[in-house]
Amino acid sequence: GGRPVAAATDLAERRAFVDREGIGMAGGLDPEALGEALGRMLRDSSGREQMGKRGRDLAERVYSWDRAAEQVEASMIRACGP
């Protein structure tokens, strides 16, 4: 399985991504809020396991080397023609 994400960021888009994908917990740059989120994650082993699995699935589906190669090839075809 994978590992859940604990993110402290001031970018709302990154927090929304983590929440939308269900891959972990994200919050602002407040250390206390991050500590609380980490505590909730540590206390919820089942939720932590599910977040990690979703994160691993996402990484394999979207960020694999095969997917990256497909995206580069598609970009080159768009730029240069078939």
Side-chain angles (χ1 to χ4, degrees):
R3 301 287 183 259
V5 172
T9 177
D10 59 348
L11 298 176
E13 296 84 13
R14 287 190 184 152
R15 289 193 305 268
F17 174 78
V18 170
D19 291 341
R20 180 179 63 247
E21 296 296 333
I23 61 174
M25 296 182 176
L29 297 177
D30 175 22
E32 190 171 306
L34 179 60
E36 290 173 10
L38 288 171
R40 286 192 308 274
M41 193 182 292
L42 288 171
R43 288 187 296 275
D44 184 5
S45 63
S46 175
R48 193 172 60 242
E49 184 177 320
Q50 288 302 312
M51 287 183 265
K53 182 181 180 326
R54 284 190 295 269
R56 175 74 180 232
D57 291 344
L58 174 71
E60 289 175 350
R61 188 177 70 248
V62 178
Y63 301 108
S64 70
W65 284 112
D66 289 340
R67 181 70 177 127
E70 290 169 1
Q71 291 173 334
V72 168
E73 180 182 33
S75 295
M76 293 176 74
I77 289 171
R78 280 193 306 276
C80 301

